[in-house]
């Protein structure tokens, strides 16, 4: 039997959405992504809001996480910056659900983001600034994580590890 809730965190390009969808499918659990939830329920253009009002975006992101966790079970993929606010970190820690940090070197994130043409990522438009964000968030990911998963390996193996944790 799998756990009712698992939360995936990590920097942009760590594979949270891909791994979350695959793991949820194999575990026959619901899957929710905070970005998808915001776009659907609040009807916002995430890249535009990130460019114009990052503080408002982070507040909405944390509120969305709490809403998802209060209404659903299953696997939840968070935005990469959920850990960058105290509200977001508290939301992660308050759930009681395992928080799985998908961690890989910055270069792995950079390669994946540059290959992914399907999603606009304004915070990755300047690689030097993106690296600074990555480094800034490392301690916050560690603070909120109950498990750390090596996301530099093929995403199928990352999903296998998520499934192992869900079943433990």
């Amino acid at each position: 039997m799998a756990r009712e809730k698992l939360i995936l965190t990590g920097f942009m390009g760590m594979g949270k959405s891909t791994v979350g969808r695959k793991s949820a499918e194999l575990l026959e659990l619901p899957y929710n992504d905070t970005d998808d939830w915001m776009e659907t329920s609040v009807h916002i253009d995430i890249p535009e809001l990130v460019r114009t009002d990052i503080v408002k975006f982070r507040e909405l992101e944390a509120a969305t996480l709490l809403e998802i966790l209060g209404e659903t079970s299953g696997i939840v993929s968070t935005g990469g910056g959920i850990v960058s606010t105290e509200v977001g970190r508290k939301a992660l820690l308050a759930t009681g659900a395992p928080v799985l940090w998908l961690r890989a070197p910055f270069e792995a994130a950079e390669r994946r983001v540059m290959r992914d043409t399907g999603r606009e990522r304004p915070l990755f438009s300047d690689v030097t600034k993106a690296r600074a964000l990555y480094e800034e968030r490392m301690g916050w990911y560690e603070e909120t994580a109950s498990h750390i998963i090596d996301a530099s390996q093929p995403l199928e193996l990352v999903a296998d590890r998520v499934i192992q944790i869900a079943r433990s």
Side-chain angles (χ1 to χ4, degrees):
M1 177 145 173
R3 295 176 189 259
E4 276 191 34
K5 291 183 186 178
L6 287 171
I7 303 167
L8 304 181
T9 65
F11 197 68
M12 295 174 274
M14 291 295 116
K16 297 178 301 289
S17 297
T18 302
V19 167
R21 277 188 199 92
K22 183 67 174 171
S23 301
E25 177 187 323
L26 293 172
L27 290 165
E28 298 179 351
L29 291 172
Y31 171 74
N32 286 287
D33 183 294
T34 56
D35 288 350
D36 293 346
W37 189 283
M38 284 188 289
E39 288 175 341
T40 304
S41 65
V42 187
H43 308 290
I44 65 164
D45 178 342
I46 289 176
E48 182 61 25
L49 187 57
V50 166
R51 277 191 295 275
T52 60
D53 193 344
I54 190 70
V55 172
K56 182 177 179 181
F57 172 73
R58 292 294 174 218
E59 290 170 356
L60 180 59
E61 183 178 51
T64 299
L65 176 63
L66 290 171
E67 183 179 346
I68 290 171
L69 294 173
E71 292 184 15
T72 68
S73 60
I75 296 182
V76 178
S77 295
T78 64
I82 192 73
V83 297
S84 64
T85 65
E86 187 174 344
V87 173
R89 291 189 299 275
K90 283 183 178 180
L92 290 169
L93 292 169
T95 67
V99 177
L100 286 58
W101 172 21
L102 306 188
R103 180 181 70 180
F106 177 80
E107 293 74 20
E110 182 180 17
R111 278 191 307 276
R112 289 179 182 161
V113 168
M114 296 307 173
R115 279 195 318 248
D116 183 6
T117 58
R119 180 178 278 183
E120 184 182 355
R121 298 178 192 253
L123 295 179
F124 223 104
S125 60
D126 179 324
V127 174
T128 302
K129 288 181 181 177
R131 182 182 293 276
L133 278 176
Y134 173 88
E135 291 170 4
E136 176 183 42
R137 293 176 183 171
M138 289 299 104
W140 294 325
Y141 289 127
E142 187 170 8
E143 172 188 328
T144 57
S146 55
H147 301 274
I148 300 171
I149 299 174
D150 178 6
S152 63
Q153 58 189 332
L155 294 181
E156 297 80 18
L157 296 177
V158 176
D160 287 346
R161 181 68 183 121
V162 169
I163 291 167
Q164 287 173 353
I165 292 169
R167 290 181 174 156
S168 66

